[in-house]
Structure formats: C-alpha cells, structure tokens
Amino acid sequence: MAPADSAEAGAPRPSHRLPRLRRGAGFIAALLCLAALLVVAAGEWAAQNERDAQWDNLRRSGEVQALALRGVATRYNYLPFTTAQHPLVRQLLHHPASQEVRDAANAYLQAVNEHAGSDMLYVMDPQGLTLASSNWDTPNSFVHQNYRNRPYFHDALGGDTGRFYGVGKTTGEPGLFVSAPVHDNGRVIGVVAVKVRMEPIANPWEQLRDPVFVTDARGIVFLGSEPSWLYRTSHPVPAADVQQLQHNEQYGTGWTPRPVPWALRQHSDQPGAELHLDGNGKRYLAFEEALPDLGWTLTVTADSRVVTVARQQAWALATLASGLLVLGALYWQLRERRLAENRQARIGLEQRVQERTHALQQAQAFRQSMEDSLLVGMRARDLEGRIVYVNAAMCDMVGYRADELIGQLPPYPYWHPDELDRHWNDSDTVLAGKASPQGRENRLRHRDGSDVYTMFYTTRLIDGHGQHIGWMSSVVNITAQKRAEEQQQQREAQLQRVQRVITVGEMASTLAHELNQPLAALVNYAAAARALAAQGKTGPLNDSLEALSAQALRAADIVGRIRRWVRQHPESREPCDLSAIVEQSLELLLRAEARRQGIAVRVEQTGAPLQVHADRVLLEQVVINLGLNALQAMQTHQPPPEGHELRLRVAADHGHALVQVLDRGPGLPPGIAERLFEPFFTTRSDGLGLGLNICRSIIESMGGQLQARNREGGGAVFEIRLPCAVAPEAATTP
Ligand code: ADP
C-alpha cells in the first residue's frame, strides 16, 4: 500500500506544479501591467482634471482682473474732456502769463483732482509746457514741465483723446495718462491730461501666489505682481520702436529692452500657454486676456505644480489602489489555490477515509463473522463488573440478547438461582484479580430455564494505552460434555446393575457350590440316620440328626445370606414410569439376548403411562430375570415360528400396574405354578431354582405380587402387580 500511495501522491506533482507556476507568474505579470496602466491612466486623468479646473479658474480670474483693470483704466476718461470745457482753462491758455489766472487754474485743477480721486490733473499749452497742475504746490510740481515728447500730448494736440501708460518724467512714478484737446473756435489751443496711478489694482496682485502681469502692444510688461519683470520685453522689440520708446521715455529715461526671464510656450490642445520660468524650472499655466480697446494683454498664471501634485497624488492613490488590487488578486489567487489544494486534499482524505472505512468494515465484518462463528462465548466487563461486551455465542449460551446484557452489573440474569452465593463469590474473586488461570466451572441458568454448564477463563482486559480497564472472559459451553459424563455415569450405573444381575447368577452358582456341600452332607446324614433308625441306634441317630439339622441350618444360612445380599443394597424407592423400566430392561440385556437367540421382542403399552413407587434397579432386575426365563423356555421348547416372540405388556388393573412377561414356551406343568417360587425349585439341569424366589421377594418388598400361569394358546405368563403411585386415568383389564 505504502509505495503505491507515495507514487500516487508524489509522482504527478512536478508535472502539475510547473504549468501552475508559469500560470501564476503570467497572472502576476498581467496583474502588474494592469496596475501600472491604471496608475499612469489615473495620473493622466487627475492631471487633466486638475489642468481643466486650473484653466477654468484662470479664465474666471482673468475676466475679473481684466474687468477691474479696464474699470480703473477708463474711470477718468471723462476728466480731461470735462476739464477742457472749463472757461478758466481756456482763459489760462489765452493768458498764460497772468499769475492770477494761473493761480485760479491751479486751484481749480487741484480741487477737481482731489474731488475726482485722480493722481494728477494738468493743462499744457500747444508746446507741451505745463501751465497749471493740480500738484502746483508740491516739490514735484508739473508746472513749467514740458511733456511734448509724450505720445498722449501729441494725440490730444491732434484733436484725439490720448492714452498712454508710462513712467512719469517728473515723479518717476508710473501711471496711466489720459489726455483731451482744449478747443477754441475750432482750433486746439492746449491739452488737458490726467494721470491715474494703477497701484490700487496692481498692489493686491503681489499678494497672489502666482504672477499676474499686463503687457502693452509691444509685449513689454508694464504692470504686474513681479517688480523684477517690469518694463521687460516678452517679445523682441523692433529697433525703431526702441528708439521711439527711448524718445518718449515711456518706461523712464535710460530704458533699454531686456527680455523677461521666462518664455511662453503655446499648446494647441490647451486654452492657454505654459510659462517656463528661467533658472528654477518653474512652470505656470498662463491665460492671456486681451483688452484690445486699451491695446493691453492681461496674463494671469497658475503654478502648474498643482497639476503635477494632482498627478502625483493620483499616482499615489492609484498605486495604493493597485497595490491593494494586486494584493487582493494575489490573495484571491492564493485563496483559490489553497481552496483547490484543500479540495484535492479533502478528496484525497475522503478517499483515504473511504478506504480506511472499507478496511475497517472488512475487518469489522471479519471480526463479526469470526465472533459469530466462535462457539466460545466472550464477555468483557469493566473494573466494576459492568458487562461492556458479549458475543453472539455468549448470547446463545444464556438466551439473552446483547442489549439486555450490556450495562448489567452483578447479579447477572443468567446466574443460577440455586448457586447465587457461589456466583457472588466467583465474581468477587475475579474482580479482585484472583481468577484461576485454569478456569472455573459455572452452572448457569438459560433464559428458557434449562441448565447450562460452562467453563469460565478470565484474563485482564488491557486497552490500547496498556491500561487495565476490566476483565475479558471466554466461556466454553460444557453442557454436552456434562451430559455425556452423566450418560456415562448412567451407563456405568446400568453396567453395575447388569453386573449385579450377573452377580445374582454368579452368586447363585457360588451358592450352588456352597450348598452342594451341606446338601450332600444332608443326604449322607439322612441316609445314615435312616440306617441308624433301622438299627435302633438312638445315640448315633441323634448325632446324625443333629449333624443333619446343622447342615440344614447351614444351608438356610446360605440362603439367608442371599436374601441379605439382595436387601443389603439400600432400597431407594421413587416414582418410576413402568414403561420406561420395561424399556430399560430390554435395553440392558433382553433385546440383545433375544436377538442372539433369534426371538422377536414386542412391547405393549395400553392406556396412560403408569407410575409406580419402586426401586428402579431391582424392578429392572426382576423384569430381566422373567424375560431371560421366558427366552430360555422358548429356546428349549421351539414354539411355532409365528409365536416365537417375547412379549412384554404394561397395563393398569384396578389401581394396580401390571407388567406381564409372555412367552410361547412349554408352559407350566400342572401343580408346578406355585412351586416355581419356592427356593431351589428348578426343572433345569443347570438351574438353581432361586431366581423366581428372589424376584418374588423383591416384588413383595415393594408391596406387590409376582404370579405365574399358563397362557392361552401355549406358553406361560409371569405377572408383576404393583400398586400405582398415581391413580391411572383409565383402568383396563388385561
Ligand atoms: P432355575 O431357572 O434355576 O430353574 P427359577 O426359580 O428361575 O430357577 O425357575 C424355577 C423353575 O421354574 C424352572 O426350573 C422352570 O421349571 C420353571 N420355569 C420358570 N420359568 C418358566 C417358564 N417361563 N416356562 C416354564 N417353566 C418355567
């Protein structure tokens, strides 16, 4: 079994395991690819989402900032125009030398400027010389300053509205200059300009995280949150433009074009550009909002790192999720594999269990049939004497089922009621561990009431751990042996009886010897007495007669000894079935003797079985004796073949039981019938003539009678008549 098992269990494994390993590796690789894809896709998706959100924010922010910028830039458009309409301005332009007018104009401009909230308000003559200004009384007063090189002056002098952002020539502070012409009789006689500071809008930008800036039509940054970028060019500026800018000093005196420290890269798939900062590699999403009416472009930015961060966060999350997914998948795969292995193991286990169960069943069946076939009873008891097991033979032996016996404590139901004390003793001896190894004979009582003779052999019951847990007894049924012994004893008793019958004969022949002497002496003494009497010799006659009587007494003593021998056996009278006695007599001797002589035997029983109170052995001897005489008579007589039969008849007669022995011998000569029973009456040459006498003595000792008569049709009838022990149901007359 073992090599086969190991071959089955071991051999197929390597061939199965390799594809499974390959499958497992492929599965893991596919899983990792999927996870990587998932991570990349999640990063891109998150980045795109974040970018879109940033663009949306930038667009909204750009619109709001542009609106605010335009609001500030156009807020004072009206002021130069309305100021130019004032008569005092015209008067000033007509009378520039009048100090009074100048003072009045200065006061006016100062009041209007203050009221409007603008930075500066001033009036220039057609040569660009400032005649009056709202800041006339400050150190940086515009009065007497000439701004003819400023484009807004030219625009206004040309009759248009001028707008110009630049660095103030006088103050050096940047601002938005808006100008309007002063008309008089269809002619431009001067220019009014207002300067508006843009700081109120630009200052909050500095608080923002990401740069915001405004470029002019040439791409020069002139307003923004990064001071270092101011007045730097985002595009190359043509030389003519540079000259012009230097000429009109828009961005201060000594301005030279310097490129901004970044570059804008356009992306076709995005609504804005990407701003790449020089040096630190920072990148911003840059949304440009054009303000065409002002010729400006507002650029709002957002650090593109948020997109990167969003991507990285998505990567991290996706990696985590993928990791979990991979772990989950691996766990699932592992679990599936375990389950499959468990299934395999379970199937294997079930198979093994089935095999073991089958083997156990076989062993159990084998043991069962072995137990069932055992003729020896098996009984196991625990240490307290409780029956824990009995086999079929034990159950058969005592007539109880196993379930009726198991669990029983002494006294057991099969203990013989007549021997309870002995059973208790035996049980205590066994439980005390003192059982004899030679076994113990035990008479049990079968459930049906019969006696069962057994031999009990008891040994210790040891369990699988070597522990003494009780007692195991094997029980051999020796009833048959006992019965055989009894039968043997009976046979021996019968033999003894036969021997006793024979002994009677022997005794008789011995007696014959013994009696011969006194009888011969008797005859001699009698003859001598007769002769002495004839001679008249009384003296010797008396001696002879005394000797004669002494011999007669001796003979009588011998006969008495026979009677005593017969009686010396203690008479054991008991109720006996007469037919059984007749049958027994036949079995003992008669049938064999009749067969030897070629004579048939017939037994007749009429009516109910008859019980007599008798000594069975002696009665049998009487029947045997009568039977032998009958056979003898028939042997000498040679009766006709049809009558060649010994007949034994048992019958009831008026409260008596009769046994008749009938033959077809010569019968009894007349006058003989009564003498037959006398001692020493015999017609046979070798006869002793004591048999019938003893038989009669026996029958009479039992309260019965023995008689003889001739039989009708020839032969003799010898009849034993005994009182019935139990009254027969129907008395019949033979
Ligand atoms: P024994 O057999 O020694 O003669 P018994 O007392 O048995 O002594 O018998 C006495 C005599 O009775 C016998 O000698 C025989 O003459 C006679 N007798 C006994 N039985 C029968 C019989 N069945 N038929 C005829 N005569 C018998």
Side-chain angles (χ1 to χ4, degrees), residues 625-626 629-634 663 665-669 672 675-678 680-684 686-693 715-718:
N625 217 325
L626 298 179
N629 279 353
L631 288 172
Q632 227 159 25
M634 281 191 281
D663 64 66
L668 309 172
I672 291 290
R675 293 190 58 203
L676 296 177
F677 298 99
E678 290 173 7
F680 310 115
F681 175 84
T682 180
T683 58
R684 296 210 303 266
D686 56 342
L688 193 62
L690 279 171
L692 287 176
N693 180 267
V717 181
F718 281 80

